[in-house]
Amino acid sequence: MTDPPILHLKDVTMRFDGLMALDDVSFTLRGRASLGLLGPNGAGKTTLFNIISGALQPSGGTVVFDGRDVTGATTSARCGYGIARTFQITQPFVSLTVRENVMVALTAAGISMRAARDAAKEYVGIVGLRHKIDDVASSLSTGQRKRVELARALATRPRLLLLDEVTGGVDRPSIPGLVETIRSLHEERELTLVVVEHHMDFLDALVDEALFLDRGRKVVSGSLAEVTANPMVREIYLGEAHA
């Protein structure tokens, strides 16, 4: 049985001082699906993430999450509805420990400090950082910081998780473990994923749908295989050598 739509964007447009960052982008994503968002630098991928998460208000169009029009809703309101994200450039509280970073997300949701301390241990364990739980974030590698961000996002108990370049800056030997962690979360917690990623092996292991943007416009969507086989995508993004 196909899950009902959880996210629907209709004619989403974003202008910055005359620059068209997104131009009438529309798509629908069913619950528990995993969507890869592809495109060259400057295509509008991060802008689209910011609009879905509420960090930006679109110049036009609508964003509907789980049947609710959230176009004008704040980031915190959308978090409460079940939308969470990670960032391409990690943003931990560097003077806090791994546990304390996750506790910030938990206490923001109204959980007591004592309960948050115990719950944070669970989320830190899920992302494979229990051995680093009392280390300050400033001492962590890039890959470990990515895991802290993932734990912090999971602590909000999202239904939709936006992952922005989660393998960016991560050493290659650590990537398979990170992929497996996210794949397990996707399956076991029935999360819906939208993933911005240039690492094609990562996408191939994780997503079942893809959407390609170029200069703010939707070029093509479909399965990852269909999108990466598209001649325009091959020319713009992948290059004939890769294709």
Side-chain angles (χ1 to χ4, degrees):
M1 181 178 177
T2 302
D3 289 275
I6 192 171
L7 180 67
H8 177 61
L9 273 65
K10 181 174 175 56
D11 300 332
V12 168
T13 298
M14 190 70 209
R15 298 182 185 87
F16 295 107
D17 297 326
L19 173 67
M20 186 71 79
L22 291 172
D23 189 1
D24 287 337
V25 175
S26 300
F27 70 87
T28 299
L29 186 64
R30 58 186 171 82
R32 299 193 295 179
S34 53
L35 173 71
L37 193 58
L38 307 177
N41 291 334
K45 303 183 298 295
T46 298
T47 299
L48 192 59
F49 258 37
N50 288 334
I51 287 173
I52 295 171
S53 67
L56 288 175
Q57 299 297 320
S59 306
T62 56
V63 180
V64 176
F65 176 71
D66 197 23
R68 182 198 304 261
D69 188 336
V70 297
T71 309
T74 64
T75 300
S76 59
R78 295 188 204 200
C79 183
Y81 300 149
I83 300 175
R85 70 166 296 178
T86 65
F87 293 86
Q88 179 179 359
I89 300 174
T90 57
Q91 300 183 11
F93 298 101
V94 293
S95 62
L96 301 184
T97 66
V98 169
R99 186 200 299 264
E100 289 166 344
N101 264 275
V102 180
M103 287 175 65
V104 169
L106 290 162
T107 55
I111 298 175
S112 70
M113 288 292 290
R114 177 174 293 183
R117 183 173 180 82
D118 292 337
K121 185 177 180 179
E122 174 190 353
Y123 290 108
V124 171
I126 287 171
V127 300
L129 282 182
R130 188 160 292 171
H131 63 298
K132 295 284 187 178
I133 193 167
D134 292 318
D135 290 9
V136 293
S138 60
S139 70
L140 302 178
S141 68
T142 299
Q144 290 165 344
R145 291 189 184 201
K146 296 276 189 177
R147 289 176 181 268
V148 172
E149 282 220 334
L150 183 58
R152 198 164 57 183
L154 291 172
T156 67
R157 298 185 177 181
R159 297 178 60 202
L160 172 65
L161 181 58
L162 311 173
L163 299 172
D164 194 356
E165 295 280 6
V166 73
T167 67
V170 178
D171 60 288
R172 184 166 287 274
S174 298
I175 290 176
L178 192 56
V179 171
E180 186 54 39
T181 296
I182 295 170
R183 183 163 52 192
S184 296
L185 290 168
H186 172 52
E187 294 173 355
E188 295 170 10
R189 294 178 177 254
E190 299 185 341
L191 291 173
T192 305
L193 302 179
V194 181
V195 184
V196 169
E197 183 58 59
H198 290 290
H199 195 288
M200 296 305 296
D201 290 341
F202 177 92
L203 287 174
D204 190 49
L206 193 62
V207 307
D208 45 38
E209 302 175 32
L211 184 153
F212 187 87
L213 292 174
D214 183 44
R215 301 179 185 179
R217 295 189 66 87
K218 175 181 171 182
V219 176
V220 64
S221 62
S223 70
L224 182 62
E226 290 170 338
V227 169
T228 55
N230 182 280
M232 188 175 295
V233 172
R234 290 159 66 106
E235 180 181 352
I236 295 172
Y237 186 54
L238 295 175
E240 283 302 320
H242 181 93

